[in-house]
Amino acid sequence: MAANNVALVTGGNGGIGSAITRRLVSDGFRVIVAYSPAEESAAQKWYRAEEYSEKDVILLPMDVTDTNGCERSINKILATEKYIDVLVNNAGITRDAAFKKMSASQWVDVINVNINSLFNVTRPLFPAMCERGYGRIINISSVNGLKGQFGQVNYSTSKAGVIGFTKALAAEGAKVGVTVNAIAPGYTGTPMVEAMKPDVLAAITEEIPVRRLATPDEIAAAVSFLASREAAYITGETLSVNGGLYMR
Ligand code: NDP
């Protein structure tokens, strides 16, 4: 079957997302980067800074929490792009608070962006992948979805949910050539993480067996592998990229 080499990456202009987009472009994909419509000017600025052109990256304003909006946007893409080969569900947020103090909106916002997005974005794409008999779906979880983290009951719940979603959907895609996998990054050196107080960052790094943060490129390399044709026999798996932080 001919490859179309089109990938959709949600939050593909964020810290890790930018590295995923760059890597998939260098792997020969045309990447559709979905970004928050509320962040239009930041997305345009990012696009110019990365010096992309329409032949390698297309910007798509799409709020991943908007079920109908995602369906409309994805149907529009499918009408022009023939196929989407690879979907990377990367958009995610944190709204940290000790559970005793966690507000309903902190809970709901995280569940909406980190979990409901999986339905909103994947549901309109999955039937086309199954019908074609090819697809790669990669969902970004987190080490904190595997081990839990103080102050992140909402986030850890959502990232553990990403793994359940991955395994269940993998069972539905396996027979028809659609693989579904998760990546569970450890602490990664995005601008947000690097902006933490130096003493907090030092304490985190001290606990990581390899004694440093992951680079966004290291997460992107794992995405690149799972997105490749060679990864056809891997599905329902969660690949930890965490410097040995949580050895199962
Ligand atoms: P960033 O905040 O840099 O990137 C998150 C991206 O998601 C942004 O581009 C953001 O866009 C987008 N996004 C958020 N809400 C929406 C929405 N409603 N609709 C569309 N896009 C949205 O974070 P990271 O790069 O660090 O995180 C990327 C993924 O990796 C997340 O799923 C995160 O949970 C996970 N992860 C990160 C780790 C780390 O150490 N950095 C460790 C483990 C997992 P915008 O800013 O424009 O809203």
Side-chain angles (χ1 to χ4, degrees):
M1 177 210 338
N4 201 38
N5 284 348
V6 176
L8 170 61
V9 182
T10 66
N13 56 332
I16 292 174
S18 292
I20 294 172
T21 299
R22 210 175 305 120
R23 176 64 191 250
L24 291 178
V25 167
S26 84
D27 288 347
F29 287 94
R30 201 142 65 88
V31 181
I32 300 164
V33 167
Y35 65 94
S36 299
E39 302 294 336
E40 176 68 37
S41 67
Q44 297 292 348
K45 193 172 159 201
W46 167 87
Y47 192 87
R48 285 192 300 274
E50 297 277 341
E51 300 184 342
Y52 286 131
S53 71
E54 288 226 335
K55 75 173 181 7
D56 31 51
V57 175
I58 297 167
L59 278 177
L60 174 71
M62 182 172 83
D63 179 350
V64 296
T65 67
D66 175 359
T67 309
N68 294 332
C70 286
E71 189 174 10
R72 272 196 306 274
S73 297
I74 287 168
N75 284 340
K76 229 190 250 175
I77 295 167
L78 287 173
T80 55
E81 290 296 330
K82 228 161 109 193
Y83 304 114
I84 303 288
D85 303 74
V86 175
L87 165 63
V88 186
N89 283 310
N90 163 74
I93 60 168
T94 52
R95 294 289 183 267
D96 296 354
F99 192 59
K100 281 192 280 191
K101 295 186 178 166
M102 188 172 285
S103 66
S105 71
Q106 284 173 318
W107 173 265
V108 168
D109 287 352
V110 167
I111 298 301
N112 271 340
V113 176
N114 297 6
I115 285 286
N116 291 338
S117 65
L118 297 178
F119 177 84
N120 295 338
V121 179
T122 313
R123 175 65 184 82
L125 266 183
F126 189 65
M129 285 182 170
C130 292
E131 204 172 300
R132 179 187 175 207
Y134 184 84
R136 297 278 182 269
I137 298 172
I138 298 150
N139 304 314
I140 306 300
S141 176
S142 165
V143 65
N144 291 343
L146 292 166
K147 74 171 186 56
Q149 177 63 35
F150 185 97
Q152 290 197 323
V153 171
N154 50 1
Y155 184 78
S156 295
T157 300
S158 71
K159 292 300 186 180
V162 168
I163 293 170
F165 175 92
T166 298
K167 290 181 175 174
L169 193 63
E172 296 195 19
K175 253 201 299 202
V176 290
V178 180
T179 67
V180 189
N181 291 290
I183 291 173
Y187 290 94
T188 305
T190 57
M192 193 179 67
V193 171
E194 281 173 342
M196 283 162 124
K197 285 188 191 147
D199 53 328
V200 175
L201 201 52
I204 288 172
T205 309
E206 184 63 25
E207 281 187 20
I208 302 170
V210 305
R211 294 288 192 272
R212 65 170 177 82
L213 303 176
T215 66
D217 286 347
E218 286 170 325
I219 310 303
V223 171
S224 166
F225 170 59
L226 291 174
S228 71
R229 288 183 169 254
E230 289 90 334
Y233 207 61
I234 301 172
T235 195
E237 190 53 70
T238 298
L239 178 56
S240 283
V241 186
N242 64 18
L245 180 59
Y246 180 58
M247 299 192 197
R248 282 170 295 162

